[in-house]
């Protein structure tokens, strides 16, 4: 597959190739991500932009820090708010542009790391195209708030490309320059804390493949400066957050046990290449999830041992071992975050690690003996990924349209009274609608913003189709008793945390009967169904026998 050489090849493509393939990447990216370009805002988007409108920065201690310190993301949203205001197109276009740039950087990183001839850029171009079309990238690109992973990965790729170039050229200037995007990556998202381990893995790999050209003193100096950058980041983080961990706390980020890791590893490995499984498979996977995860973990361990043995026996296999290890190293900071077998939620946590999955796929395809086989397999993989990516992009577009319909519907039917929304759509088959941000959306967005409007939510609902229908029937006027029913078999209703203080509930996740502790007077009861906001209906009055 690869043969170590004592002569340094011209590992970067020529300028004409760069312009040509840059045009191909751009055209394909626009076609694939056309639905997100015309989407609306959803969930956290409202929260972040309303923070800016209130004169603060998102992801900062003075704004809606939420325990995170990501000033680069806050400044990027602030800058775009000055450019686009509340027009979603500009924000979505920026996300798509960042993903295009990341895909091109993946191709450059492949050219720097993976062995290939300059006249045959198959591995580099293939890796970039695979990364561009991967189905698991819908969430970070289609969701404006998903730019945390886009920007963090952009700076991480700049750092790794500069590092690899500095080692192979050699270029001490590029080696030291790689520290700047490393610091910016840390200030974009905490998960890039894995970069120092990735740097060491790249250094070991390049040295083992006889591509090390930089002097030892230069390397040690750059390494020492990198440690200083890392220490400086932690100092700034502690100064602003009062904690090194932040975010979801120690229990959220440093919770490691065998069952959790085993299930996470199996799901991450599946979802990086494969789309979500059909919903009906959840009933099969959940009861056996722990046993399946244990089996998959054992297979991963045996696979790693096998690659280590092959790499020790044959240097031609070391590239595969390096990419396999780099994928899991990049996932270390998020390995305890749950992703799902049957929907696309939380796919954004795969974004950084998926660049090594793309490199691995291109490297493996390039190992096929015939050029026709390589091209056929690559086209099949790109077609499959592009198909499922488009489906996910359309789902995220529909989720944003549901958010828009809710905001406009509530603003249209509400007056000065407080609003009680019985069923707030939380997500559409994994695409976030309104997990957060509903009050902010009503206060600052829509055709008629209402800054003083108060809204309470009774149930968060998971939808599996945009036109999901619900019914809300007033069963008793005297006791303020209502029945909410999800008519679609897959829709699920979950009680909100504040529900007990407002109503008492009897029912299940598809049908609930509830009555208010205090009769409704100054509140207006609404519910969402089939893209509309409506008020409750009343059953027909019984016929008085004396009137017959």
């Amino acid at each position: 597959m690869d043969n170590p050489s004592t002569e340094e090849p011209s590992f970067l493509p020529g300028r004409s190739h760069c312009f040509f393939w840059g045009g191909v990447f751009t055209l394909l990216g626009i076609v694939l991500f056309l639905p997100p370009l015309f989407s609306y805002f959803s969930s956290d988007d409202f929260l972040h932009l309303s923070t800016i409108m209130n004169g603060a920065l998102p992801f900062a201690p003075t704004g809606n820090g939420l325990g995170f310190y990501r000033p680069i993301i806050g400044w990027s949203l602030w800058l775009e708010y000055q450019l686009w205001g509340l027009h979603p197109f500009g924000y979505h276009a920026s996300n798509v542009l960042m993903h295009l740039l990341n895909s091109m950087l993946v191709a450059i990183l492949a050219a720097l790391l993976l062995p290939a001839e300059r006249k045959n850029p198959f591995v580099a171009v293939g890796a970039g195209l695979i990364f561009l079309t991967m189905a698991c990238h819908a969430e970070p690109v289609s969701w404006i708030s998903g730019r945390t992973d886009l920007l963090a990965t952009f700076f991480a790729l700049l750092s790794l490309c500069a590092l690899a170039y500095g080692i192979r050229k050699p270029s001490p200037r590029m080696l030291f320059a790689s520290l700047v995007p490393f610091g910016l990556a840390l200030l974009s998202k905490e998960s890039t804390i894995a970069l120092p381990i990735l740097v060491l893995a790249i250094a070991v790999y390049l040295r083992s493949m006889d591509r090390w050209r930089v002097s030892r003193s230069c390397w040690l100096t750059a390494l020492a400066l990198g440690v200083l950058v890392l220490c400086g980041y932690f100092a700034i983080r502690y100064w602003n957050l009062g904690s090194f961990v932040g975010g979801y706390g120690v229990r959220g980020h440093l919770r490691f046990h065998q069952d959790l890791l085993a299930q996470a590893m199996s799901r991450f490995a599946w979802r990086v290449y494969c789309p979500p499984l059909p919903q009906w498979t959840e009933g099969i996977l959940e009861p056996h999830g722990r046993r399946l995860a244990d089996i998959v973990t054992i297979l991963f361990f045996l696979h790693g041992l096998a690659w280590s043995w092959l790499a020790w026996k044959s240097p031609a296999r070391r590239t595969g071992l390096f990419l396999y290890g780099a994928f899991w190293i990049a996932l270390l900071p998020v390995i305890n975050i749950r992703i799902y077998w049957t929907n696309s939620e939380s796919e954004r946590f795969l974004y950084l690690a998926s660049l090594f999955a793309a490199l691995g796929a291109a490297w493996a395809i390039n190992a096929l003996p015939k050029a026709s086989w390589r091209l056929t397999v690559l086209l099949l993989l790109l077609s499959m990924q592009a198909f499922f990516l488009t489906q996910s992009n359309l789902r995220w577009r529909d989720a944003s349209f549901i958010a828009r319909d809710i905001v406009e519907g509530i603003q249209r039917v509400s007056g000065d009274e407080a609003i009680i929304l019985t069923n707030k759509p939380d997500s559409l088959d994994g695409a976030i609608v309104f997990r957060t941000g509903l009050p902010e959306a009503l206060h600052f967005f829509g055709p008629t913003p209402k800054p003083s409007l108060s809204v309470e939510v009774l149930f968060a609902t998971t939808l599996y189709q945009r036109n999901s229908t619900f019914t809300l029937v007033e069963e008793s006027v005297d006791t303020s008793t209502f029945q909410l029913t999800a008519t679609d078999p897959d829709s699920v209703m979950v009680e909100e945390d504040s529900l007990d203080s407002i109503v008492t509930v009897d029912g299940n996740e598809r049908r609930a009967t509830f009555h208010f502790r205090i009769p409704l007077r100054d509140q207006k009861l609404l519910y969402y169904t089939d893209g509309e906001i409506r008020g409750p209906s009343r059953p027909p009055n019984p016929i008085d026998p004396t009137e017959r």
Side-chain angles (χ1 to χ4, degrees):
M1 293 184 189
D2 24 290
N3 298 311
S5 174
T6 57
E7 294 184 3
E8 185 65 20
S10 297
F11 42 82
L12 290 177
R15 183 176 299 179
S16 60
H17 280 167
C18 288
F19 281 115
F20 173 77
W21 288 113
V24 172
F25 276 60
T26 302
L27 181 61
L28 181 59
I30 291 174
V31 171
L32 289 174
F33 291 98
L34 200 59
L37 288 175
F38 298 97
S39 298
Y40 194 61
F41 304 104
S42 62
S43 195
D44 293 10
D45 302 343
F46 300 107
L47 187 64
H48 298 326
L49 291 178
S50 65
T51 300
I52 294 172
M53 296 172 72
N54 285 325
L57 280 179
F59 297 115
T62 56
N64 64 329
L66 306 175
F68 298 103
Y69 184 64
R70 302 169 180 173
I72 300 297
I73 307 302
W75 282 110
S76 76
L77 289 170
W78 179 87
L79 177 61
E80 291 205 47
Y81 176 72
Q82 311 309 312
L83 296 173
W84 323 121
L86 296 180
H87 299 286
F89 178 86
Y91 299 93
H92 287 294
S94 297
N95 274 26
V96 173
L97 176 61
M98 280 186 275
H99 183 56
L100 284 173
L101 292 175
N102 287 341
S103 301
M104 296 176 190
L105 285 173
V106 167
I108 294 174
L109 185 64
L112 289 165
L113 290 179
L114 306 185
E117 298 177 6
R118 181 176 180 178
K119 295 181 180 179
N120 179 20
F122 181 89
V123 176
V125 172
L129 289 175
I130 292 170
F131 186 83
L132 177 66
T133 60
M134 291 180 85
C136 63
H137 291 165
E139 184 179 69
V141 183
S142 296
W143 190 22
I144 294 172
S145 296
R147 69 176 48 200
T148 53
D149 294 272
L150 297 176
L151 267 175
T153 302
F154 172 72
F155 290 121
L157 279 165
L158 281 180
S159 181
L160 294 178
C161 286
L163 173 85
Y165 186 89
I167 291 175
R168 292 193 63 182
K169 183 65 179 175
S171 173
R173 182 179 299 178
M174 291 296 289
L175 199 62
F176 296 137
S178 68
L179 299 173
V180 176
F182 169 50
L184 295 175
L186 290 172
L187 294 174
S188 298
K189 192 170 183 180
E190 304 80 7
S191 58
T192 53
I193 197 70
L195 273 178
I197 308 177
L198 285 172
V199 166
L200 293 176
I202 289 175
V204 171
Y205 166 68
L206 291 178
R207 195 171 187 88
S208 70
M209 300 299 290
D210 196 21
R211 297 181 195 139
W212 188 276
R213 298 293 180 270
V214 71
S215 67
R216 179 177 298 181
S217 60
C218 181
W219 166 251
L220 291 177
T221 303
L223 204 60
L225 291 175
V227 172
L228 288 177
V229 171
L230 193 61
C231 292
Y233 164 73
F234 277 115
I236 295 172
R237 182 179 179 83
Y238 189 84
W239 176 268
N240 284 276
L241 297 180
S243 169
F244 289 117
V245 178
Y248 304 119
V250 173
R251 287 188 175 182
H253 296 289
L254 301 179
R255 181 186 47 162
F256 299 102
H257 57 80
Q258 187 270 334
D259 289 338
L260 177 66
L261 294 179
Q263 293 188 50
M265 289 178 69
S266 59
R267 295 179 184 188
F268 276 120
W270 171 265
R271 292 291 291 107
V272 71
Y273 288 122
C274 303
L277 295 170
Q279 188 64 29
W280 58 266
T281 60
E282 189 170 358
I284 300 174
L285 292 172
E286 287 301 324
H288 308 288
R290 183 172 298 179
R291 182 177 299 176
L292 177 63
D294 290 339
I295 294 173
V296 172
T297 303
I298 294 173
L299 291 177
F300 285 150
F301 181 71
L302 295 176
H303 187 238
L305 286 179
W307 268 115
S308 300
W309 171 260
L310 290 172
W312 181 72
K313 299 292 288 184
S314 171
R317 304 287 180 176
R318 289 174 187 168
T319 299
L321 178 63
F322 159 69
L323 295 174
Y324 181 81
F327 173 77
W328 291 110
I329 291 171
L331 279 175
L332 281 176
V334 296
I335 196 65
N336 58 358
I337 301 294
R338 177 168 180 167
I339 65 171
Y340 301 87
W341 291 108
T342 56
N343 66 57
S344 60
E345 185 176 343
S346 300
E347 284 179 336
R348 63 189 183 278
F349 296 110
L350 274 165
Y351 194 77
L352 176 61
S354 67
L355 74 92
F356 295 104
L359 293 177
W363 173 79
I365 293 173
N366 192 53
L368 296 174
K370 294 184 179 181
S372 59
W373 294 4
R374 294 195 290 269
L375 183 60
T376 300
V377 173
L378 178 63
L379 291 177
L380 287 175
L381 178 60
L382 293 177
S383 300
M384 182 193 75
Q385 294 292 329
F387 173 78
F388 290 112
L389 174 65
T390 302
Q391 300 302 308
S392 293
N393 284 338
L394 291 171
R395 188 161 52 248
W396 273 94
R397 184 200 62 183
D398 290 345
S400 73
F401 287 169
I402 292 174
R404 181 193 61 190
D405 294 341
I406 291 173
V407 172
E408 294 179 356
I410 292 178
Q411 290 176 344
R412 184 173 56 251
V413 302
S414 64
D416 297 329
E417 71 275 38
I419 297 298
I420 297 178
L421 181 63
T422 57
N423 59 329
K424 176 192 70 174
D426 175 89
S427 60
L428 174 64
D429 196 12
I432 308 300
V433 179
F434 264 127
R435 188 152 300 170
T436 61
L438 179 58
E440 291 79 8
L442 296 172
H443 294 167
F444 297 101
F445 295 76
T448 55
K450 298 190 175 183
S452 60
L453 184 63
S454 172
V455 59
E456 290 278 359
V457 176
L458 303 186
F459 297 91
T461 56
T462 300
L463 313 179
Y464 287 93
Q465 48 186 318
R466 183 183 174 186
N467 58 346
S468 297
T469 56
F470 295 80
T471 59
L472 180 64
V473 178
E474 185 175 12
E475 293 191 335
S476 171
V477 178
D478 297 333
T479 61
S480 296
T481 301
F482 300 83
Q483 185 180 87
L484 176 66
T485 304
T487 58
D488 296 324
D490 293 328
S491 297
V492 176
M493 302 185 300
V494 179
E495 300 176 14
E496 290 283 275
D497 294 337
S498 60
L499 186 64
D500 291 341
S501 63
I502 304 173
V503 298
T504 57
V505 179
D506 180 26
N508 54 45
E509 62 182 17
R510 294 200 61 251
R511 176 175 295 177
T513 300
F514 58 92
H515 70 269
F516 287 85
R517 299 179 184 274
I518 301 175
L520 294 174
R521 293 178 181 174
D522 298 326
Q523 300 96 351
K524 191 167 190 175
L525 188 65
L526 300 172
Y527 75 105
Y528 171 83
T529 181
D530 195 15
E532 296 180 353
I533 294 293
R534 300 179 185 175
S537 59
R538 295 182 178 179
N541 294 323
I543 298 176
D544 190 341
T546 60
E547 297 179 359
R548 291 182 177 178

